[in-house]
Amino acid sequence: MSVQVKFWGVRGSIATPSADHMKYGGNTSCVELVLNDRIIIFDAGTGVRMLGNCLINRGIKDYLFLQSHTHWDHINGFPFFAPVYREDVNIEIHAGHLAHSCGIHQVLSSQMCQPTFPVPFAELAANISFRDFQAGESFSLGDGINVRTAPLNHPDGGTGYRVEYEGVSVCYVTDTEHVPGRTDENVAGLIEGADLVIYDSTYTDEEYPQFVGWGHSTWQEGVRLCRAGNVKQMVIFHHDPSHDDAFMDKVAEDARKEWDGAIVAKEGLSLELSKSEKPALITMAC
């Protein structure tokens, strides 16, 4: 049994390709989850471009996307995901916030319409299927992989995921806003006892009052939720574009002092999970 996680994009809102963002990375949200020979991709931000190239090099032809939501920074890498242009590739895309509106197919195809993108969605060669569900549902992906979901507090809606496989659980919880002093029961119930929680930590508690209503949380709130929920490890994720490497170094230092179960996401960070041990740093292909 092998469960591995790799971070391909850790930034929120907009990509930040600058010298001051090199250490932690400037690509927007994309996380790869490997369950033996199954590939699950959380979000198609700009980080998905390099992941696509890597998957082609690995010879893998079947992928499953779990979209947290469809704001631009979480989907604008999709047209640059090289496997979508290959006829021998199968892609399944799930989303939990569009079942009663336009649907995930409409959102992904409309971002490729002229005059904002030169290649229409109809030109994609891969066999792509779509599933819209209601956040809060649970479902199976086969091969012993089960998924629980929860609605998140974010403008236009969002979905948190918990993927369970062979006794190991990985939660992806971004983008979501908390209410200070009040536990978000949707998130708390989703992450209880998880091995790894990837949490929206766009702001610090000190910054948060300036951004109420923007749909994001803080690393300190993530720590509070994870400690209360007996989570093994939390990854601080979805870094604000204004938070350069020096700022993130300070976040990492403060988080270590607060709880040794919290680490800061960097592009390329890879973890291996097991039922009995804390997630361990590893080196993954590409």
Side-chain angles (χ1 to χ4, degrees):
M1 189 273 291
S2 175
V3 177
Q4 299 175 335
V5 177
K6 184 168 182 176
F7 292 80
W8 294 88
V10 302
R11 192 69 51 174
S13 301
I14 191 169
T16 54
S18 78
D20 293 331
H21 295 76
M22 294 293 288
K23 180 176 180 179
Y24 291 88
N27 281 299
T28 60
S29 301
C30 181
V31 178
E32 177 190 11
L33 174 60
V34 181
L35 307 175
N36 282 334
D37 58 352
R38 293 288 298 275
I39 303 293
I40 295 174
I41 302 168
F42 293 113
D43 282 339
T46 59
V48 83
R49 185 182 74 85
M50 291 302 294
L51 171 56
N53 296 339
C54 176
L55 292 173
I56 288 175
N57 290 337
R58 289 191 226 161
I60 300 171
K61 298 179 180 179
D62 296 280
Y63 323 110
L64 190 146
F65 281 84
L66 298 178
Q67 283 293 140
S68 65
H69 64 304
T70 46
H71 284 161
W72 190 42
D73 54 321
H74 292 253
I75 64 170
N76 63 354
F78 184 78
F80 301 94
F81 183 63
V84 299
Y85 299 98
R86 297 173 66 104
E87 294 181 352
D88 58 348
V89 164
N90 300 300
I91 300 173
E92 187 177 325
I93 303 174
H94 296 242
H97 65 297
L98 299 168
H100 299 300
S101 57
C102 58
I104 184 63
H105 176 272
Q106 176 63 27
V107 172
L108 292 179
S109 60
S110 64
Q111 77 163 337
M112 297 178 68
C113 288
Q114 295 178 336
T116 58
F117 198 79
V119 180
F121 191 89
E123 292 297 316
L124 303 185
N127 176 33
I128 306 175
S129 60
F130 304 88
R131 179 175 184 266
D132 289 290
F133 65 92
Q134 187 67 39
E137 292 181 18
S138 298
F139 50 90
S140 172
L141 300 175
D143 297 324
I145 303 169
N146 295 306
V147 179
R148 291 170 49 198
T149 71
L152 299 179
N153 181 25
H154 193 66
D156 304 311
T159 304
Y161 292 93
R162 179 185 179 118
V163 178
E164 300 175 333
Y165 176 69
E166 295 288 338
V168 173
S169 52
V170 176
C171 298
Y172 183 72
V173 183
T174 193
D175 297 15
T176 193
E177 181 169 342
H178 71 282
V179 177
R182 185 186 307 171
T183 299
D184 187 325
E185 297 298 339
N186 289 332
V187 174
L190 189 71
I191 69 173
E192 176 72 33
D195 294 283
L196 182 71
V197 173
I198 301 162
Y199 187 77
D200 176 0
S201 307
T202 303
Y203 306 121
T204 65
D205 277 356
E206 294 72 27
E207 293 174 305
Y208 177 77
Q210 308 170 55
F211 301 103
V212 172
W214 287 39
H216 297 288
S217 191
T218 70
W219 69 262
Q220 291 100 329
E221 180 65 14
V223 166
R224 288 188 283 268
L225 284 165
C226 288
R227 294 182 77 170
N230 296 310
V231 170
K232 283 184 182 177
Q233 188 162 64
M234 179 189 108
V235 178
I236 293 168
F237 183 74
H238 202 269
H239 313 325
D240 187 85
S242 68
H243 292 172
D244 59 15
D245 290 338
F247 190 102
M248 294 311 304
D249 280 343
K250 183 64 164 58
V251 168
E253 178 184 353
D254 290 345
R256 278 195 301 271
K257 293 176 182 177
E258 185 72 21
W259 182 44
D260 63 4
I263 60 173
V264 175
K266 298 179 181 179
E267 284 184 27
L269 173 68
S270 300
L271 300 169
E272 187 166 57
L273 286 69
S274 68
K275 288 188 289 187
S276 57
E277 302 295 331
K278 193 172 180 179
L281 293 171
I282 60 168
T283 299
M284 286 177 63
C286 303

